[in-house]
Amino acid sequence: VQLQASGGGLVQAGASLTLSCAASGSIFNINHADWYRQAPGKQRESVAGINNGGSTNYKDSVKGRFSISRDNAKNTVYLQITSLKPEDTAVYYCNLVVTTTSGSTRSYWGQGTQVTVSS
């Protein structure tokens, strides 16, 4: 299973971005998906998650601006970010818990996509 994260960029404060995490390989099911971010000099933190049933959860500080969704047909998870702030600047990573067609289940990380927000 391979994950490809994309959609980051350099934007001005107030702009919006949609990050994508596309999974490929012998995928039977994406059980759970999370987006994390890591700002320079800080620990990686979870910002949003979505489970198999579509239930979502968010870090308190991003509620109302971040929206996680999934397209099961495309094995892709999205993170829509609106009203971007300079403090959202970070490398954003996706993490998927995947069950493969061989029946194994494990966690996979994407390579990260840089989001830089200028004031």
Side-chain angles (χ1 to χ4, degrees):
V1 175
Q2 296 83 39
L3 304 187
Q4 179 67 46
S6 61
L10 172 61
V11 298
Q12 290 190 330
S16 299
L17 281 175
T18 297
L19 310 182
S20 299
C21 178
S24 61
S26 302
I27 298 167
F28 176 74
N29 188 58
I30 298 173
N31 303 315
H32 194 93
D34 293 276
W35 282 96
Y36 289 75
R37 68 184 180 187
Q38 187 167 19
K42 295 188 177 181
Q43 289 189 332
R44 190 174 298 188
E45 61 178 2
S46 174
V47 293
I50 185 167
N51 67 13
N52 209 21
S55 296
T56 59
N57 62 84
Y58 300 94
K59 178 180 173 65
D60 285 346
S61 62
V62 307
K63 285 180 180 178
R65 297 192 302 116
F66 285 32
S67 179
I68 188 170
S69 61
R70 56 191 289 169
D71 184 331
N72 293 331
K74 295 182 178 179
N75 287 327
T76 300
V77 179
Y78 304 96
L79 183 68
Q80 183 178 23
I81 310 174
T82 61
S83 302
L84 276 155
K85 304 176 181 181
E87 52 263 41
D88 294 321
T89 295
V91 179
Y92 284 72
Y93 299 90
C94 54
N95 178 271
L96 273 53
V97 176
V98 175
T99 297
T100 65
T101 53
S102 65
S104 64
T105 299
R106 57 157 284 191
S107 170
Y108 297 85
W109 285 94
Q111 85 282 10
T113 183
Q114 176 71 49
V115 173
T116 303
V117 185
S118 63
S119 57

